Amino acid sequence: KNEVEQSPQNLTAQEGEFITINCSYSVGISALHWLQQHPGGGIVSLFMLSSGKKKHGRLIATINIQEKHSSLHITASHPRDSAVYICAVSSYNTDKLIFGTGTRLQVFP
Amino acid sequence: DVKVTQSSRYLVKRTGEKVFLECVQDMDHENMFWYRQDPGLGLRLIYFSYDVKMKEKGDIPEGYSVSREKKERFSLILESASTNQTSMYLCASSRVFPDIPYEQYFGPGTRLTVT
C-alpha cells in the first residue's frame, strides 16, 4: 500500500464546477504539499501546509492532521485548470518528499 | 524567482550509450534531487544531494550515478542506457532549514527515449 494515496485518479468536469481532490497518508508528516503539473511541463508548488486551511485565488487546500487527510478544492473551475495535481508529504527528519500518483483533471468548456 | 533549468527538454539515445542529464539552480539551494516520472507510478526519487560532493541513494538508484561538484549543478548519469530507462526525468532543489519543511522547486523535465 502506498504511503500517500490520492483519489480520484482521473476527474472530468464542466467549466464552472466545484472540484475536490483528496489525499490520505499513513506516515507522520511535518508538511503536506499540493503540486500542479501541466501537460508536457514542469511541476509547480501550489501549497505547503501543516495545519488548517490555505487559499490562493480559486484554490483552497485543507488538512486534517488527526485523520491524516487533505483536500484540494477548485472553485469555478476553468479549462486552464486542466493538469495533473500531485499530493506529497514531507516526513519528519528528512528533506525528501513522498508522492502520491497524481490526479488527472480535465475541465471542458 | 527561483529557477531550475535542465539541459534538454527531449533526448533520444541508443541502448548502451552513456547519458548525462544536467540540472542547474540559481537560488543557492543546498538540496538537489533527481526524480523519474512514469505513468501510474508517480515521481520516484533516484538520488538526492544535500551538499557539494554529498549524495544519498533514493528509491531507484540502480543504473544511475550522480555528480555534484558545484552547489548549483547536479548531474544525473546513465552509465549504459537501457530501454527501461525511457522516462521523464525531473530535477528539483530546495533550501534547508533545521526542523522546518521547505518546498521543492522543479525544473521543466527531460523526456528521455532510449531506443
Side-chain angles (χ1 to χ4, degrees):
Chain A
K1 190 177 187 299
N2 293 335
E3 293 169 302
V4 179
E5 299 271 3
Q6 285 184 240
S7 63
Q9 285 189 307
N10 294 284
L11 189 52
T12 301
Q14 288 295 126
E15 184 172 356
E17 283 185 15
F18 181 83
I19 288 161
T20 296
I21 300 170
N22 295 298
C23 177
S24 297
Y25 54 92
S26 58
V27 296
I29 69 168
S30 54
L32 184 139
H33 307 250
W34 281 104
L35 310 168
Q36 181 192 56
Q37 184 177 30
H38 280 285
I43 294 170
V44 296
S45 177
L46 297 175
F47 296 103
M48 183 177 72
L49 64 165
S50 53
S51 65
K53 178 177 173 178
K54 285 192 175 181
K55 185 175 190 290
H56 185 254
R58 293 180 295 105
L59 273 59
I60 303 165
T62 64
I63 188 167
N64 184 318
I65 297 293
Q66 286 72 31
E67 294 187 4
K68 295 190 173 180
H69 182 268
S70 174
S71 293
L72 177 69
H73 304 287
I74 305 175
T75 61
S77 59
H78 190 276
R80 65 174 174 266
D81 297 325
S82 298
V84 175
Y85 293 85
I86 302 168
C87 173
V89 299
S90 308
S91 53
Y92 292 119
N93 300 318
T94 176
D95 294 320
K96 293 183 247 187
L97 295 179
I98 306 170
F99 295 88
T101 53
T103 296
R104 183 174 301 277
L105 170 65
Q106 289 183 290
V107 182
F108 292 98
Chain B
D1 265 0
V2 174
K3 195 162 185 185
V4 180
T5 56
Q6 295 183 226
S7 48
S8 306
R9 291 300 304 271
Y10 300 94
L11 208 51
V12 179
K13 295 292 181 181
R14 291 194 180 277
T15 302
E17 279 193 81
K18 191 168 186 175
V19 182
F20 294 87
L21 302 182
E22 302 282 334
C23 175
V24 178
Q25 50 95 4
D26 66 358
M27 282 301 290
D28 202 37
H29 284 172
E30 293 85 359
N31 290 334
M32 295 188 77
F33 307 83
W34 273 109
Y35 299 98
R36 64 177 281 176
Q37 185 179 33
D38 300 288
L41 297 177
L43 282 141
R44 294 180 291 167
L45 180 65
I46 304 171
Y47 267 98
F48 161 50
S49 170
Y50 49 92
D51 202 348
V52 175
K53 297 191 188 293
M54 306 304 286
K55 63 185 179 187
E56 190 174 304
K57 290 181 181 178
D59 301 317
I60 50 164
E62 297 79 20
Y64 303 95
S65 62
V66 290
S67 171
R68 193 163 179 202
E69 298 295 319
K70 293 186 178 181
K71 191 174 184 180
E72 67 270 19
R73 188 179 297 268
F74 191 33
S75 302
L76 180 69
I77 302 150
L78 287 66
E79 296 290 341
S80 177
S82 65
T83 54
N84 63 13
Q85 292 178 310
T86 292
S87 187
M88 169 71 94
Y89 290 88
L90 289 145
C91 175
S93 71
S94 73
R95 192 168 294 285
V96 173
F97 291 109
D99 300 324
I100 298 175
Y102 195 84
E103 61 188 319
Q104 291 187 13
Y105 292 85
F106 287 82
T110 295
R111 187 164 295 281
L112 172 67
T113 302
V114 183
T115 62

